[in-house]
Every structure is written in structure tokens, then in C-alpha cells.
């Protein structure tokens, strides 16, 4: 039974690869001042902030433990691609666990190859908030 479910899931996934309407129905995007929130149904939320250095920060926020594990794996894959130079966009990816406590407040320092700070981004996430508005990314001047 388990193998049948896995095979059906893979077949359905392959059938939907070329269909953009299915993906659009499952994604809620909200454009705000300087970042975009994308929340696929049942997955972690993704927040982007563009920085004046030409790079950006991609925060993958898991609001449940399962979503956080997914976000952590996705961030690791994205960072590996970025470090090899094959990433499609120059975003530094980080995973944030928003599954416990009232919320999260973190500061990320982005440094260059000689450890000079090139950007500072503060991430604030609420545990309970309207869908797609749980986190806020604020870039600070260096």
C-alpha cells in the first residue's frame, strides 16, 4: 500500500510539472515594500529582501516542526548551489524555526570573502498572524 501511494504521488507530481495553473492555485504571493512573501499550501513560507549590494536574503520560515525541517533542507540545497555558482538568483538562504514560542527575532550579518560585513538583516516573525504576514525582514545600513 505504501509503495502504491508513493508511486501515485510521483506520477501525479510528474503530471503537474508542466502545469502552471496548478502551481498558481497553491501559491499565495503578496508584494510588500521591499520583499515578497510566497506561501505554498502546506509548506514553509519564503521571504525575500533585496539588498543594495546586489545580493539578497531568502528566509525560509517553518511555522511547524515539519515545515522547519523542509525549510532547513531547502536552504541547505540553495546554499550549496549558490556556493558552486549555479544558483539562479544571488540570495543567501537561511532556515528559521517559528514553530515554538511566541515568535522569532534574529539578526543576520552577511559578510564578504574577507569577513567584512556587507549587509545586516533583522528578521522578526510572529507565531500567530494573518497568513502571509507572519514575518518582516528589515535591512539595516552598514
Amino acid at each position: 500500500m505504501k509503495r502504491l501511494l508513493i508511486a501515485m504521488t510521483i506520477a501525479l507530481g510528474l503530471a503537474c510539472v508542466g502545469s502552471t495553473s496548478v502551481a498558481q492555485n497553491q501559491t499565495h504571493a503578496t508584494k510588500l515594500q521591499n520583499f515578497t512573501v510566497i506561501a505554498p499550501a502546506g509548506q514553509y513560507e519564503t521571504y525575500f529582501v533585496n539588498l543594495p549590494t546586489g545580493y539578497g536574503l531568502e528566509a525560509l520560515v517553518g511555522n511547524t516542526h515539519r515545515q522547519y525541517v523542509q525549510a532547513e533542507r531547502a536552504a541547505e540545497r540553495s546554499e550549496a548551489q549558490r556556493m558552486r555558482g549555479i544558483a539562479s538568483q544571488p540570495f543567501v538562504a537561511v532556515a528559521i524555526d517559528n514553530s515554538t514560542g511566541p515568535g522569532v527575532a534574529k539578526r543576520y550579518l552577511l559578510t564578504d570573502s574577507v569577513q567584512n560585513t556587507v549587509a545586516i538583516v533583522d528578521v522578526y516573525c510572529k507565531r500567530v498572524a494573518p497568513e502571509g504576514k507572519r514575518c518582516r525582514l528589515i535591512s539595516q545600513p552598514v
Side-chain angles (χ1 to χ4, degrees):
M1 183 69 174
K2 186 176 182 180
R3 289 183 182 173
L4 178 62
L5 287 174
I6 292 172
M8 289 177 58
T9 303
I10 291 171
L12 180 62
L14 291 174
C16 293
V17 167
S19 175
T20 57
S21 63
V22 172
Q24 289 175 352
N25 290 338
Q26 294 178 354
T27 302
H28 308 286
T30 305
K31 291 190 183 271
L32 297 175
Q33 185 176 3
N34 62 351
F35 61 91
T36 304
V37 180
I38 301 172
Q43 286 188 346
Y44 52 85
E45 295 175 354
T46 305
Y47 296 84
F48 298 98
V49 64
N50 292 315
L51 302 170
T53 59
Y55 285 92
L57 181 76
E58 176 182 25
L60 308 175
V61 181
N63 295 306
T64 65
H65 180 69
R66 185 176 190 163
Q67 290 175 352
Y68 172 65
V69 171
Q70 290 175 343
E72 194 171 38
R73 289 180 185 154
E76 288 172 0
R77 283 191 306 269
S78 178
E79 276 300 289
Q81 289 179 347
R82 187 183 66 81
M83 295 300 254
R84 287 187 299 220
I86 58 174
S88 60
Q89 297 175 337
F91 284 100
V92 176
V94 295
I96 298 173
D97 186 4
N98 192 29
S99 64
T100 59
V104 175
K106 290 192 175 202
R107 173 169 278 184
Y108 291 94
L109 302 174
L110 282 73
T111 58
D112 60 10
S113 60
V114 290
Q115 300 303 314
N116 293 325
T117 301
V118 294
I120 301 170
V121 179
D122 293 328
V123 179
Y124 302 102
C125 296
K126 296 177 183 176
R127 181 77 177 110
V128 179
E131 189 67 33
K133 296 181 182 180
R134 293 181 200 215
C135 295
R136 191 172 55 163
L137 279 63
I138 302 170
S139 62
Q140 302 292 333
V142 178

